[in-house]
Amino acid sequence: MLINAHIAFNASLLVLALPFCGLLRGSFEALLPDQTDKVDVSVLTRLETTLVPASFGTPTQALASLKRELLRMTELVKAMLHPVMDFYSTGAKEQIRTVQDLNIKVNGCLTQIRVIVAGLPTKVMTRQSGSAARDMLEYAVRLEDAGDVRTERLTVLAARLHEAQGSFSKERWQELQAMHEAILANMKLASNVLISDDVESAQLLNIEKTEMKRAEQACLLP
C-alpha cells in the first residue's frame, strides 16, 4: 500500500507538471546543454606517432604499437566527423580548415603504418601475427579513405550548397542527423572492438554496418 501510494503521488505530480514542461524547456536546455563526445582537436594535433621501430622486440610488442597508432588515427578521424553537420548548417570555413589539417595527420598515420608493417621482421613474426598486422593496415587504409571523403567530398558539397543558397527539408535533415549520430556511435564501437577483440561487439558492429547501408539507400530514394 505504501509503494502504491508513493507511485500514485508521483504520477499526480507528473500530470500536474506536464502543461508547464514546454514553458520550462528553453531554460533547462540552456542550463543543461546536450552532452556530446566532442574531441579536443588541439590535443590530437599535438600528439605524435607512437610507432618506433626500435621498440619492436617481439611480435606482440609490434602489434600493440600498431594498435595504439590505429587508435590515434581513429580519434583523428572521429574529430573530423564531429563538425560535419555544421558544414551544411553554417558553412563554417574555420571548421573546414581544421578538418583539412586533421586529414593531413591521418594521411601521415597511414604512411607510417605502411612503412612499419612492410619492415616487420618476418623471421620473428608468426603467421597469425603477420595476418593481424595486415588486417591493421587494411583498417588504416579504410580510415584514411573515410578522412578523404570528409575533406574531398563533404566539404565541397557543403560549399556548393551554400553558394546555391540551398537547404535540406526538415525530414531529410533529421535523417542526416540520425545517420551522423549512428556513424559516431559505430566509430566508438569500432574502437572498442579494436581494443578488446570482442567477437560479440564485432558482430554487433557488422549488424550496424548493414543497417547503415539500408539507411543510406532509403535517403537516396526520392
Side-chain angles (χ1 to χ4, degrees), residues 194-211:
L194 181 63
I195 295 171
S196 64
D197 294 327
D198 179 52
V199 176
E200 194 172 312
S201 297
Q203 291 171 342
L204 176 59
L205 184 61
N206 195 45
I207 293 172
E208 290 293 332
K209 178 181 177 182
T210 302
E211 291 299 320

Side-chain angles (χ1 to χ4, degrees), residues 67-86:
K67 188 174 288 190
R68 284 199 305 273
E69 186 70 2
L70 273 178
L71 287 172
R72 172 175 174 266
M73 192 175 180
T74 300
E75 289 302 315
L76 288 167
V77 174
K78 195 186 301 181
M80 294 172 65
L81 177 62
H82 270 284
V84 162
M85 299 304 292
D86 293 338

